[in-house]
């Protein structure tokens, strides 16, 4: 496999990078993105799913929704500021890193189940049609 390094993993216990662990964009995706930039002057299709929220961690108890993008995928599904996302696409999301990992495996246009806990403690299962990452 050939790819372009994009991100190094960190180890919170060490307070820095985790040596030897990194992430890369596959070369075919990099080639596609480069081709879009050459042809259109910008990326027109990132192939990345997007919920349209700003999030924060809750010490492993889900992902707190700090803000919802008006008209975005989460807003259309009824997710609100103050909700806590507990799972996405049947995968637990105890942290923002876990949520990002699940989203990375999904594509725009997919319908996924999102389990949220509202500020009043009530839980809800919402069907979200994922959007495209901005700029797509």
């Amino acid at each position: 496999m050939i790819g372009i390094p994009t991100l190094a993993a960190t180890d919170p216990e060490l307070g820095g990078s985790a040596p030897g662990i990194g992430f890369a964009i596959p070369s075919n995706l990099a080639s596609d993105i480069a081709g879009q930039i050459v042809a259109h002057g910008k990326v027109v299709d990132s192939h990345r799913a997007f919920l349209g929220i700003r999030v924060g961690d809750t010490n492993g108890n889900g992902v707190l929704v700090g803000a919802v993008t008006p008209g975005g995928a989460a807003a259309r599904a009824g997710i609100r500021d103050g909700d806590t996302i507990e799972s996405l696409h049947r995968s637990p999301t105890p942290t923002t890193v876990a949520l990002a990992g699940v989203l990375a495996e999904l594509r725009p246009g997919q319908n996924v189940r999102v389990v949220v806990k509202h500020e009043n403690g009530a839980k809800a299962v919402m069907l979200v049609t994922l959007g495209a990452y901005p700029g797509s």
Side-chain angles (χ1 to χ4, degrees):
M1 174 177 281
I2 299 172
I4 298 173
T6 59
L7 182 68
T10 60
D11 184 342
E13 291 180 12
L14 297 176
S17 66
I21 300 174
F23 303 91
I25 294 174
S27 60
N28 61 337
L29 179 58
S31 178
D32 175 55
I33 297 295
Q36 290 180 50
I37 292 170
V38 169
H40 306 285
K42 63 181 181 177
V43 177
V44 294
D45 184 2
S46 68
H47 310 288
R48 293 180 61 197
F50 188 67
L51 274 174
I53 56 176
R54 289 194 179 175
V55 297
D57 278 319
T58 61
N59 294 322
N61 295 313
V63 176
L64 179 65
V65 177
V68 178
T69 303
R76 288 191 306 270
I79 296 173
R80 305 181 300 245
D81 295 1
D83 284 348
T84 300
I85 297 175
E86 296 184 339
S87 71
L88 172 71
H89 198 56
R90 302 192 194 284
S91 295
T93 55
T95 65
T96 57
V97 172
L99 177 67
V102 175
L103 277 172
E105 298 296 321
L106 302 172
R107 297 290 169 250
Q110 269 187 272
N111 292 314
V112 297
R113 294 178 153 234
V114 179
V115 176
V116 300
K117 184 167 69 172
H118 298 301
E119 285 183 291
N120 66 5
K123 286 191 180 183
V125 178
M126 303 183 159
L127 185 62
V128 178
T129 301
L130 296 171
Y133 198 76
S136 295

